[in-house]
Amino acid sequence: MDSHEGRENHAAPEATAPPVTAETSDRGRLILSRSPLRGLATGSLDALLELGKVERLPRRYRIAQQDETAQLFVILGSGRVKLERMGASHSFPLAHRGPGDIVGESAIGGSPAQENAVVVDDAEALVFPAASFRALLGRDPALQEAVSRTLLGIQRATEERLASLLLRGVEARLAGFLLDADDRWGTEHAAGTVIAAPFTHADIALLIGSTRETVTLQLGKLKRTGLIELDRRRIVIRDRGGLARRAEGS
């Protein structure tokens, strides 16, 4: 994605969503079942489904904009969202989030977003108006606890990524990225699982703190050792155990 795409304005999903049907309710439950909130009691889950709407979010749709208060809290069911922080002259990618992940967490506290959150692959999501979600959070202690655990998990993941950039080599960082991407976007393939999200070598390089050329060389090395293969520009994971050992530096 071009670093300027996230600066375009895009209308929010339609406010007058169609009535909740059995199908949309089932899709909402499926999204929640893959999220960190899946362990909530039935009453809390039902309240979330009543408040949220299953929406299609098109590519380039901006869920949150840096330095502005987020209006939506989103749980992704499919697709991919890029988080990036804008500097004076360039953007710095922070992460990509996918199925089961939350986006727009700054909406929980009503504080300005610290980064842009832009859809890069068409997504389906359970979408909540920020103010209504905060009100529900105030009434439901169990939901408060689950959201707090989720935010703590995000913080720990950020700290682990920073530690990885400082302490691990490129091959280990690349292997860790591939395992994480496989968890989020992996689908069945004859040779193992294929990462459905179309990451370019440049995307991967930015996320693991390397260069496109080095990523290309390292992917070739992993392919020659039989840990991965390429299929129509998608990366196929053939040996998760082997990749895990590379991620640990073994």
Side-chain angles (χ1 to χ4, degrees), residues 1 6 43-44 48 62 67 87 100 114 125 128 133 145 160 163 167-168 174 186-187 193 206 216:
M1 184 183 79
S44 295
L48 285 170
R62 184 169 48 231
D67 298 327
Q114 296 183 345
F128 304 88
F133 186 82
E145 183 179 352
E160 289 171 1
L167 302 175
R168 295 198 294 173
L174 175 59
T187 60
T193 57
L206 287 170
T216 299

mmCIF file of all heavy atoms in Angstrom, residues 1 6 43-44 48 62 67 87 100 114 125 128 133 145 160 163 167-168 174 186-187 193 206 216:
data_model
loop_
_atom_site.group_PDB
_atom_site.id
_atom_site.type_symbol
_atom_site.label_atom_id
_atom_site.label_comp_id
_atom_site.label_asym_id
_atom_site.label_seq_id
_atom_site.Cartn_x
_atom_site.Cartn_y
_atom_site.Cartn_z
ATOM 1 N N MET A 1 0.837 -1.187 0.000
ATOM 2 C CA MET A 1 0.000 0.000 0.000
ATOM 3 C C MET A 1 0.869 1.232 0.000
ATOM 4 O O MET A 1 1.844 1.319 0.727
ATOM 5 C CB MET A 1 -0.906 0.018 1.244
ATOM 6 C CG MET A 1 -1.872 1.183 1.238
ATOM 7 S SD MET A 1 -2.878 1.234 2.737
ATOM 8 C CE MET A 1 -1.720 1.950 3.866
ATOM 9 N N GLY A 6 -3.553 5.968 3.298
ATOM 10 C CA GLY A 6 -4.304 6.110 4.540
ATOM 11 C C GLY A 6 -4.768 7.526 4.781
ATOM 12 O O GLY A 6 -5.549 7.780 5.675
ATOM 13 N N GLY A 43 -24.739 -13.817 28.152
ATOM 14 C CA GLY A 43 -25.377 -12.509 28.261
ATOM 15 C C GLY A 43 -24.516 -11.393 27.704
ATOM 16 O O GLY A 43 -25.016 -10.500 27.005
ATOM 17 N N SER A 44 -23.228 -11.432 27.987
ATOM 18 C CA SER A 44 -22.317 -10.410 27.474
ATOM 19 C C SER A 44 -22.163 -10.518 25.958
ATOM 20 O O SER A 44 -22.136 -9.503 25.247
ATOM 21 C CB SER A 44 -20.948 -10.536 28.145
ATOM 22 O OG SER A 44 -21.036 -10.270 29.531
ATOM 23 N N LEU A 48 -23.190 -7.699 23.036
ATOM 24 C CA LEU A 48 -22.283 -7.251 21.975
ATOM 25 C C LEU A 48 -22.923 -7.413 20.601
ATOM 26 O O LEU A 48 -22.839 -6.523 19.746
ATOM 27 C CB LEU A 48 -20.981 -8.044 22.035
ATOM 28 C CG LEU A 48 -20.006 -7.681 23.157
ATOM 29 C CD1 LEU A 48 -18.887 -8.716 23.242
ATOM 30 C CD2 LEU A 48 -19.423 -6.290 22.939
ATOM 31 N N ARG A 62 -10.586 3.856 6.197
ATOM 32 C CA ARG A 62 -9.819 4.219 7.370
ATOM 33 C C ARG A 62 -10.676 4.041 8.622
ATOM 34 O O ARG A 62 -11.671 4.735 8.810
ATOM 35 C CB ARG A 62 -9.317 5.658 7.252
ATOM 36 C CG ARG A 62 -8.423 6.090 8.392
ATOM 37 C CD ARG A 62 -7.731 7.408 8.110
ATOM 38 N NE ARG A 62 -8.639 8.412 7.626
ATOM 39 C CZ ARG A 62 -8.451 9.145 6.518
ATOM 40 N NH1 ARG A 62 -7.383 8.951 5.787
ATOM 41 N NH2 ARG A 62 -9.316 10.051 6.154
ATOM 42 N N ASP A 67 -4.110 11.013 15.692
ATOM 43 C CA ASP A 67 -4.365 12.290 16.372
ATOM 44 C C ASP A 67 -5.846 12.688 16.380
ATOM 45 O O ASP A 67 -6.168 13.791 16.827
ATOM 46 C CB ASP A 67 -3.540 13.434 15.763
ATOM 47 C CG ASP A 67 -2.047 13.191 15.894
ATOM 48 O OD1 ASP A 67 -1.635 12.586 16.904
ATOM 49 O OD2 ASP A 67 -1.292 13.576 14.986
ATOM 50 N N GLY A 87 4.994 10.234 10.266
ATOM 51 C CA GLY A 87 5.961 11.229 10.694
ATOM 52 C C GLY A 87 5.879 12.452 9.806
ATOM 53 O O GLY A 87 4.944 12.601 9.006
ATOM 54 N N GLY A 100 -10.025 -12.000 13.995
ATOM 55 C CA GLY A 100 -9.989 -12.165 15.439
ATOM 56 C C GLY A 100 -9.374 -10.997 16.172
ATOM 57 O O GLY A 100 -9.542 -10.874 17.389
ATOM 58 N N GLN A 114 -3.165 6.932 18.133
ATOM 59 C CA GLN A 114 -1.734 7.164 17.976
ATOM 60 C C GLN A 114 -1.228 6.754 16.606
ATOM 61 O O GLN A 114 -0.065 6.978 16.283
ATOM 62 C CB GLN A 114 -0.959 6.428 19.064
ATOM 63 C CG GLN A 114 -1.266 6.931 20.470
ATOM 64 C CD GLN A 114 -0.429 6.240 21.527
ATOM 65 O OE1 GLN A 114 0.179 5.201 21.288
ATOM 66 N NE2 GLN A 114 -0.385 6.822 22.705
ATOM 67 N N ALA A 125 -16.278 -7.276 9.357
ATOM 68 C CA ALA A 125 -15.997 -6.995 10.760
ATOM 69 C C ALA A 125 -17.273 -6.743 11.532
ATOM 70 O O ALA A 125 -18.312 -6.385 10.972
ATOM 71 C CB ALA A 125 -15.074 -5.784 10.877
ATOM 72 N N PHE A 128 -18.689 -1.441 16.119
ATOM 73 C CA PHE A 128 -19.420 -0.828 17.227
ATOM 74 C C PHE A 128 -19.203 0.677 17.225
ATOM 75 O O PHE A 128 -18.059 1.139 17.109
ATOM 76 C CB PHE A 128 -18.929 -1.374 18.573
ATOM 77 C CG PHE A 128 -19.007 -2.862 18.715
ATOM 78 C CD1 PHE A 128 -17.960 -3.667 18.302
ATOM 79 C CD2 PHE A 128 -20.132 -3.454 19.265
ATOM 80 C CE1 PHE A 128 -18.018 -5.043 18.436
ATOM 81 C CE2 PHE A 128 -20.204 -4.834 19.397
ATOM 82 C CZ PHE A 128 -19.151 -5.626 18.984
ATOM 83 N N PHE A 133 -20.180 1.566 22.672
ATOM 84 C CA PHE A 133 -19.346 0.489 23.210
ATOM 85 C C PHE A 133 -18.818 0.873 24.587
ATOM 86 O O PHE A 133 -18.796 0.044 25.502
ATOM 87 C CB PHE A 133 -18.192 0.183 22.259
ATOM 88 C CG PHE A 133 -17.372 -1.006 22.679
ATOM 89 C CD1 PHE A 133 -17.787 -2.296 22.384
ATOM 90 C CD2 PHE A 133 -16.187 -0.836 23.381
ATOM 91 C CE1 PHE A 133 -17.045 -3.396 22.785
ATOM 92 C CE2 PHE A 133 -15.437 -1.930 23.788
ATOM 93 C CZ PHE A 133 -15.861 -3.211 23.488
ATOM 94 N N GLU A 145 -13.111 -6.674 32.009
ATOM 95 C CA GLU A 145 -11.954 -7.530 32.287
ATOM 96 C C GLU A 145 -11.411 -8.142 31.001
ATOM 97 O O GLU A 145 -10.191 -8.185 30.780
ATOM 98 C CB GLU A 145 -12.345 -8.632 33.263
ATOM 99 C CG GLU A 145 -11.182 -9.532 33.657
ATOM 100 C CD GLU A 145 -11.599 -10.609 34.645
ATOM 101 O OE1 GLU A 145 -12.745 -10.567 35.141
ATOM 102 O OE2 GLU A 145 -10.767 -11.497 34.913
ATOM 103 N N GLU A 160 7.277 -7.434 22.559
ATOM 104 C CA GLU A 160 7.995 -8.575 22.004
ATOM 105 C C GLU A 160 8.540 -8.262 20.617
ATOM 106 O O GLU A 160 9.645 -8.692 20.257
ATOM 107 C CB GLU A 160 7.075 -9.795 21.950
ATOM 108 C CG GLU A 160 6.771 -10.383 23.319
ATOM 109 C CD GLU A 160 5.688 -11.445 23.265
ATOM 110 O OE1 GLU A 160 5.194 -11.738 22.150
ATOM 111 O OE2 GLU A 160 5.336 -11.986 24.336
ATOM 112 N N ALA A 163 11.612 -6.152 21.098
ATOM 113 C CA ALA A 163 12.719 -6.987 21.557
ATOM 114 C C ALA A 163 13.272 -7.828 20.411
ATOM 115 O O ALA A 163 14.488 -8.012 20.285
ATOM 116 C CB ALA A 163 12.251 -7.888 22.702
ATOM 117 N N LEU A 167 17.110 -8.046 19.252
ATOM 118 C CA LEU A 167 17.854 -9.212 19.727
ATOM 119 C C LEU A 167 17.942 -10.369 18.743
ATOM 120 O O LEU A 167 18.797 -11.248 18.923
ATOM 121 C CB LEU A 167 17.227 -9.715 21.037
ATOM 122 C CG LEU A 167 17.167 -8.697 22.181
ATOM 123 C CD1 LEU A 167 16.417 -9.276 23.366
ATOM 124 C CD2 LEU A 167 18.564 -8.265 22.582
ATOM 125 N N ARG A 168 17.081 -10.414 17.745
ATOM 126 C CA ARG A 168 17.081 -11.562 16.842
ATOM 127 C C ARG A 168 17.567 -11.171 15.459
ATOM 128 O O ARG A 168 17.388 -10.042 15.012
ATOM 129 C CB ARG A 168 15.675 -12.172 16.739
ATOM 130 C CG ARG A 168 15.186 -12.764 18.051
ATOM 131 C CD ARG A 168 14.032 -13.724 17.824
ATOM 132 N NE ARG A 168 12.850 -13.053 17.317
ATOM 133 C CZ ARG A 168 11.740 -13.682 16.912
ATOM 134 N NH1 ARG A 168 11.689 -15.002 16.942
ATOM 135 N NH2 ARG A 168 10.696 -13.004 16.481
ATOM 136 N N LEU A 174 12.043 -13.117 10.355
ATOM 137 C CA LEU A 174 11.213 -13.511 9.209
ATOM 138 C C LEU A 174 10.410 -14.767 9.531
ATOM 139 O O LEU A 174 9.207 -14.840 9.233
ATOM 140 C CB LEU A 174 12.097 -13.750 7.986
ATOM 141 C CG LEU A 174 11.393 -14.283 6.729
ATOM 142 C CD1 LEU A 174 10.303 -13.326 6.267
ATOM 143 C CD2 LEU A 174 12.407 -14.528 5.612
ATOM 144 N N GLY A 186 -3.724 -18.065 7.396
ATOM 145 C CA GLY A 186 -3.440 -19.360 6.791
ATOM 146 C C GLY A 186 -4.705 -20.102 6.389
ATOM 147 O O GLY A 186 -5.669 -20.153 7.143
ATOM 148 N N THR A 187 -4.691 -20.656 5.183
ATOM 149 C CA THR A 187 -5.785 -21.511 4.698
ATOM 150 C C THR A 187 -5.195 -22.804 4.145
ATOM 151 O O THR A 187 -4.009 -22.867 3.810
ATOM 152 C CB THR A 187 -6.615 -20.809 3.606
ATOM 153 O OG1 THR A 187 -5.749 -20.483 2.489
ATOM 154 C CG2 THR A 187 -7.230 -19.514 4.124
ATOM 155 N N THR A 193 -0.210 -25.037 4.523
ATOM 156 C CA THR A 193 -1.140 -23.913 4.587
ATOM 157 C C THR A 193 -0.542 -22.752 3.811
ATOM 158 O O THR A 193 0.680 -22.558 3.804
ATOM 159 C CB THR A 193 -1.416 -23.462 6.041
ATOM 160 O OG1 THR A 193 -0.182 -23.128 6.683
ATOM 161 C CG2 THR A 193 -2.112 -24.557 6.836
ATOM 162 N N LEU A 206 9.545 -4.063 5.820
ATOM 163 C CA LEU A 206 9.231 -2.950 6.713
ATOM 164 C C LEU A 206 8.806 -3.446 8.091
ATOM 165 O O LEU A 206 9.151 -2.854 9.114
ATOM 166 C CB LEU A 206 8.126 -2.088 6.096
ATOM 167 C CG LEU A 206 8.540 -1.208 4.912
ATOM 168 C CD1 LEU A 206 7.308 -0.606 4.248
ATOM 169 C CD2 LEU A 206 9.488 -0.103 5.364
ATOM 170 N N THR A 216 13.935 -11.228 0.269
ATOM 171 C CA THR A 216 13.886 -12.112 -0.899
ATOM 172 C C THR A 216 14.932 -13.228 -0.784
ATOM 173 O O THR A 216 14.641 -14.402 -1.042
ATOM 174 C CB THR A 216 14.113 -11.310 -2.190
ATOM 175 O OG1 THR A 216 13.081 -10.332 -2.322
ATOM 176 C CG2 THR A 216 14.092 -12.222 -3.413
#
